[in-house]
């Protein structure tokens, strides 16, 4: 198919693609514990139906976790095989009062489609589907479409799934549609991602709560002790103080501060923390956040010293760090700085490796060319991402010769993981076109190098 034929075919398919995206958004497939996982099953079935409609040999698979979907179509003679990745599970919605519309009823406002998963990552699924529909029976490459069902919950079973189905998902190129573009109108290739370590730290100072008047003063309460401990995790400028974590200053572009503040929603007069360029702080340095605290709620708190308090910590690891070593460093810091002889218990939750992608070679050139065409001559930007996609390291290990292209449908205003998540429909159309063009260009590279 010529470029003009690909453009026309994608444009023809977009209305149906959007309708199917909206159907997916209506399924609240949340893989977290405590949610109705029958919706994740429904979501997998819906995805499988879409893949079968593209002519793929499709099955739903699992390995002790939530259902994933694998669809395959063999390559034409001499053509490469491309693995297309996305995930169909979504984040919990959080406080529904913060949503301007029902999170599971897609609504268009000002050129954006609102709904949980509209961007992360059901639009990623539909970008793959759009490209396949555009080619129909003229698909120029072999395809493996792998749609995971528990990415938002940590991908605990993904490595087992990939190992089990390694032969049938073997590929030459991997396209992971779970990242973001640099800005509206500016595409991007993600070339580095931070890793992650999550854990819980619990302090106990008393066997039980005691009267704050009768014992307060000499006796420390656990919540105050916890606050003092947590305060040691950053210096006065906001840099992480845990010794042994990797950090670098090597980001290739910078993030204008006014744009970053607006996109982050920082309060009026609020200060950024840390030192160095914003992109270094986001992409190549560690970050540490306190995600939650277990302690008496203020409305129910008696005048008593709190005997035990607990916090959940999350560390984002710079590329080049090792999650196991980083956890050991965090644990050592917490034990060393626990105040007043409190009893400390540190419990590991999960981790994931950071990654760096060498984005050079003919397949990356093909991707940049496809993006440039879809965005009317705008060159794509190589970016890092502060978030984590730990399984990319698994893909790198299983398929060391495959080019890994990390793309995405999100933009800085998508609000993934937060209230009012949304998808820019104009950018989504470009993403769909870019992926179709990419498949054509990958086939061309395969013919030239084969």
């Amino acid at each position: 198919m010529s470029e003009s034929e690909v453009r026309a075919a994608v444009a023809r398919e977009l209305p149906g693609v959007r309708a199917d995206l909206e159907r997916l958004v209506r399924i609240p497939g949340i893989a977290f514990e405590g949610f109705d996982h029958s919706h994740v099953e429904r979501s997998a079935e819906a995805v499988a139906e879409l893949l079968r409609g593209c002519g793929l040999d499709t099955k739903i698979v699992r390995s002790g976790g939530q259902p994933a979907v694998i669809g395959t179509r063999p390559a034409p003679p001499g053509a490469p095989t491309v693995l297309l990745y996305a995930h169909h599970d979504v984040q919990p919605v959080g406080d529904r009062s913060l949503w301007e519309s029902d999170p599971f009823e897609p609504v268009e406002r000002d050129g954006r489609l609102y709904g949980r998963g509209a961007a992360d990552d059901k639009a990623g699924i539909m970008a793959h589907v759009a490209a396949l529909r555009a080619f129909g029976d003229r698909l120029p490459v072999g395809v493996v479409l792998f749609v995971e069902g528990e990415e938002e919950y940590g991908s605990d079973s993904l490595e087992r799934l990939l190992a089990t189905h390694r032969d049938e998902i073997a590929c030459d190129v991997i396209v992971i549609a779970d990242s973001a573009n640099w800005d509206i109108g500016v595409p991007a290739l993600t070339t580095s991602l931070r890793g992650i370590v999550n854990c819980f730290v619990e302090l106990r100072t008393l066997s039980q709560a005691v009267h704050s008047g009768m014992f307060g003063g000499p006796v420390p309460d656990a919540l105050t002790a916890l606050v003092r401990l947590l305060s040691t995790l950053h210096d006065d400028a906001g840099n992480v103080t845990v010794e042994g974590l990797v950090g670098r200053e090597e980001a290739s572009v910078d993030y204008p501060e006014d744009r970053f503040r607006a996109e982050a929603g920082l309060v009026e007069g609020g200060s950024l923390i840390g030192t160095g360029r914003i992109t270094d702080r986001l992409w190549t340095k560690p970050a540490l956040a306190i995600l939650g605290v277990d302690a008496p709620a203020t409305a129910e708190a008696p005048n008593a010293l709190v005997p035990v308090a607990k916090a959940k910590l999350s560390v984002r690891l710079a590329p080049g760090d090792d999650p196991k070593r980083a956890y050991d460093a965090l644990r050592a810091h917490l034990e060393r700085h626990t105040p007043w002889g409190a009893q400390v218990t540190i419990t590991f939750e999960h981790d994931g490796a950071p990654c760096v992608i060498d984005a050079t070679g003919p397949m990356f050139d093909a991707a940049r060319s496809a993006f440039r065409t879809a965005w009317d001559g705008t060159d794509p930007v190589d970016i890092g991402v502060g978030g984590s996609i730990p399984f990319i390291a698994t893909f790198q290990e299983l398929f060391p010769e495959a080019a890994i292209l990390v793309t995405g449908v999100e933009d800085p205003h998508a609000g993934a993981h937060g209230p009012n998540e949304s998808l820019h429909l104009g950018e989504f159309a470009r993403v769909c076109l870019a992926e179709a063009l990419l498949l054509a260009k990958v086939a061309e590279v395969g013919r030239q190098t084969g």
Side-chain angles (χ1 to χ4, degrees), residues 1 35 53 146 206 223 271 365 389:
M1 292 173 68
F35 290 85
F146 187 100
L206 293 158
L223 188 51
S271 299
D365 294 340
I389 309 180

Side-chain angles (χ1 to χ4, degrees), residues 152-273:
E152 299 292 10
Y153 191 54
S155 299
D156 286 345
S157 68
L158 180 62
E159 190 166 346
R160 296 191 299 274
L161 282 172
L162 294 178
T164 300
H165 300 279
R166 179 173 182 169
D167 290 343
E168 60 195 288
I169 64 176
C171 57
D172 305 289
V173 179
I174 300 171
V175 179
I176 297 175
D178 193 21
S179 189
N181 288 307
W182 178 238
D183 201 357
I184 295 172
V186 184
L189 272 176
T190 297
T191 59
S192 72
L193 298 104
R194 290 193 293 197
I196 189 170
V197 171
N198 278 11
C199 72
F200 301 92
V201 56
E202 180 179 279
L203 295 191
R204 177 175 288 277
T205 58
L206 293 158
S207 59
Q208 62 185 13
V210 296
H211 194 292
S212 61
M214 299 295 292
F215 295 96
V219 175
D221 67 89
L223 188 51
T224 299
L226 180 64
V227 169
R228 287 181 65 89
L229 173 59
L230 298 180
S231 72
T232 70
L233 295 171
H234 297 85
D235 63 20
D236 289 344
N239 296 298
V240 177
T241 56
V242 177
E243 294 181 7
L245 298 182
V246 170
R248 295 185 174 87
E249 295 187 8
E250 56 184 29
S252 58
V253 295
D254 201 11
Y255 210 142
E257 182 172 337
D258 56 347
R259 174 186 152 189
F260 179 71
R261 292 174 67 92
E263 291 169 357
L266 201 64
V267 298
E268 183 77 24
S271 299
L272 300 180
I273 63 172

Side-chain angles (χ1 to χ4, degrees), residues 175-419:
V175 179
I176 297 175
D178 193 21
S179 189
N181 288 307
W182 178 238
D183 201 357
I184 295 172
V186 184
L189 272 176
T190 297
T191 59
S192 72
L193 298 104
R194 290 193 293 197
I196 189 170
V197 171
N198 278 11
C199 72
F200 301 92
V201 56
E202 180 179 279
L203 295 191
R204 177 175 288 277
T205 58
L206 293 158
S207 59
Q208 62 185 13
V210 296
H211 194 292
S212 61
M214 299 295 292
F215 295 96
V219 175
D221 67 89
L223 188 51
T224 299
L226 180 64
V227 169
R228 287 181 65 89
L229 173 59
L230 298 180
S231 72
T232 70
L233 295 171
H234 297 85
D235 63 20
D236 289 344
N239 296 298
V240 177
T241 56
V242 177
E243 294 181 7
L245 298 182
V246 170
R248 295 185 174 87
E249 295 187 8
E250 56 184 29
S252 58
V253 295
D254 201 11
Y255 210 142
E257 182 172 337
D258 56 347
R259 174 186 152 189
F260 179 71
R261 292 174 67 92
E263 291 169 357
L266 201 64
V267 298
E268 183 77 24
S271 299
L272 300 180
I273 63 172
T275 55
R277 293 188 302 176
I278 290 174
T279 45
D280 286 325
R281 284 178 265 175
L282 280 175
W283 302 344
T284 64
K285 289 185 175 183
L288 197 156
I290 301 162
L291 301 183
V293 174
D294 289 339
T298 57
E300 303 167 1
N303 284 326
L305 301 182
V306 176
V308 61
K310 181 179 181 180
K312 181 176 181 178
L313 309 183
S314 181
V315 185
R316 297 288 178 164
L317 308 178
D321 210 342
D322 174 78
K324 306 305 181 191
R325 185 178 64 230
Y327 174 67
D328 288 344
L330 176 61
R331 183 185 188 96
H333 178 101
L334 293 171
E335 291 175 342
R336 186 167 61 250
H337 288 86
T338 295
W340 303 328
Q343 296 176 356
V344 59
T345 302
I346 301 162
T347 307
F348 173 83
E349 185 188 42
H350 67 80
D351 65 11
C355 75
V356 177
I357 297 169
D358 178 11
T360 60
M363 294 305 182
F364 292 96
D365 294 340
R368 292 186 176 97
S369 176
F371 287 8
R372 191 178 302 113
T373 300
W375 270 267
D376 300 324
T378 300
D379 287 325
V381 177
D382 285 2
I383 64 170
V385 169
S388 306
I389 309 180
F391 61 79
I392 293 179
T394 304
F395 278 115
Q396 289 175 317
E397 181 179 346
L398 289 177
F399 307 109
E401 302 302 319
I404 299 179
L405 310 173
V406 183
T407 67
V409 298
E410 297 174 30
D411 64 83
H413 308 283
H417 292 208

